[in-house]
Amino acid sequence: MSAFRRDLFAGQVAVITGGTSGIGASTARCLAEHGAKVYAVGLGAEDTTFPQELDVEVREVDVTNDEHLVSLFAELERLDILVPAAGISLGDRELEWECFNRVLSVQLQAVYRTLDLSHDLLSRNGGTVITLASMYTFFGGGRRIAYSAAKGAVAQLTKSLAEAWAPDGIRVNAVAPGWIDTPLLATIEDQAVRNRLLSRTPMARFGEPEEIGKVITFLASDAASFVTGTILPVDGGYLVTGI
Ligand SMILES: NC(=O)c1ccc[n+]([C@@H]2O[C@H](COP(=O)([O-])OP(=O)(O)OC[C@H]3O[C@@H](n4cnc5c(N)ncnc54)[C@H](O)[C@@H]3O)[C@@H](O)[C@H]2O)c1
């Protein structure tokens, strides 16, 4: 059972990048279950389905392709909720310049371009943005240097735009997921590393993508009407552990 009314977002429109998998897809589903019309955009759209009763439109959009993004937003007549959740990580290869740039182009440049293109639409109805930070916003990542650089920057971008866009009535917040069971987490194959992550998580499990979608629902709702510029950890307590 949901903590929120099912018609919470009735009449509202949401765009979720990375809406074709993991956290983005769960968020798309959660917002649609609460009445929003949702555009779930990303790669692999042809393999992505949502329950028929939900108002979710799936689109193939490469967030690093400016034409794709421009035509997506040009078509919208209103936008209330934006969640730029598209993401990749290339692990150790991020030390290589080309891979470093590739990760930054998805995880940082495209995040800002998505926000930039949505500003005017969001300002019409007092819209809201929820970005995806990470535990790497707070910690360094020696084996994911571009990913952690991007996630540090996304947090700063979130705080900065919260200030810059408050006069336009737009709230900008971030969730900082801990270790969430998605295809991205599956890129950590080393069982010893996975065990280490679990052993320092007080709740002793990986999170479910829905557990991020639910917090995004809260941040997008009127229950968070005075919340902007915050980076909200959703991590089973990972950040509070000292060792
Ligand atoms: N899973 C975790 O533990 C975790 C933790 C912290 C933050 N995050 C962040 O959450 C977000 C979603 O991650 P996830 O775990 O759901 O990953 P995922 O691999 O399940 O999904 C990634 C999504 O991004 C999309 N994508 C990748 N490159 C794209 C591109 N060029 N254009 C359009 N879409 C593109 C994919 O199509 C997919 O929909 C990412 O920003 C990630 O950094 C994840």
Side-chain angles (χ1 to χ4, degrees):
M1 187 164 119
S2 173
F4 294 99
R5 286 191 336 254
R6 285 294 173 187
D7 62 350
L8 185 66
F9 300 125
Q12 297 193 20
V13 175
V15 168
I16 319 292
T17 75
T20 52
S21 175
I23 291 170
S26 275
T27 301
R29 187 178 171 136
C30 200
L31 297 180
E33 282 170 350
H34 290 86
K37 152 95 193 173
V38 178
Y39 293 86
V41 309
L43 306 180
E46 69 281 4
D47 299 324
T48 310
T49 52
F50 289 90
Q52 233 178 358
E53 66 275 16
L54 298 180
D55 194 357
V56 182
E57 200 168 315
V58 182
R59 295 267 184 93
E60 185 76 16
V61 168
D62 180 345
V63 294
T64 64
N65 181 322
D66 211 49
E67 278 174 30
H68 286 194
L69 286 181
V70 169
S71 69
L72 171 71
F73 288 103
E75 191 188 308
L76 300 184
E77 282 175 9
R78 75 174 281 163
L79 179 62
D80 301 278
I81 304 164
L82 174 69
V83 182
I88 56 168
S89 177
L90 300 175
D92 283 342
R93 286 189 296 145
E94 293 177 14
L95 287 159
E96 297 161 25
W97 176 238
E98 203 185 308
C99 293
F100 183 90
N101 276 324
R102 212 162 103 211
V103 171
L104 266 286
S105 72
V106 177
Q107 294 272 26
L108 181 59
Q109 264 86 343
V111 172
Y112 181 63
R113 185 57 173 149
T114 308
L115 268 65
D116 173 39
L117 288 167
S118 67
H119 171 270
D120 291 353
L121 281 163
L122 287 169
S123 63
R124 284 185 205 160
N125 304 299
T128 187
V129 179
I130 297 98
T131 60
L132 271 296
S134 160
M135 292 300 99
Y136 288 108
T137 293
F138 308 100
F139 301 115
R143 302 187 67 178
R144 286 174 197 262
I145 66 154
Y147 187 92
S148 63
K151 291 304 187 185
V154 161
Q156 290 304 98
L157 182 66
T158 301
K159 291 186 245 179
S160 303
L161 288 179
E163 181 185 350
W165 290 0
D168 306 319
I170 304 170
R171 294 183 300 107
V172 187
N173 290 292
V175 285
W179 307 96
I180 311 301
D181 196 7
T182 71
L184 191 66
L185 185 72
T187 64
I188 303 176
E189 287 171 356
D190 186 337
Q191 196 52 46
V193 174
R194 295 174 73 89
N195 290 343
R196 222 166 58 230
L197 296 175
L198 285 175
S199 72
R200 74 155 282 172
T201 302
M203 290 182 73
R205 64 174 175 86
F206 294 129
E208 295 299 326
E210 297 72 31
E211 294 180 293
I212 306 302
K214 286 191 284 187
V215 175
I216 290 175
T217 299
F218 157 68
L219 286 171
S221 78
D222 196 49
S225 56
F226 199 50
V227 182
T228 198
T230 200
I231 314 298
L232 182 55
V234 188
D235 64 349
Y238 189 85
L239 275 181
V240 299
T241 308
I243 52 162

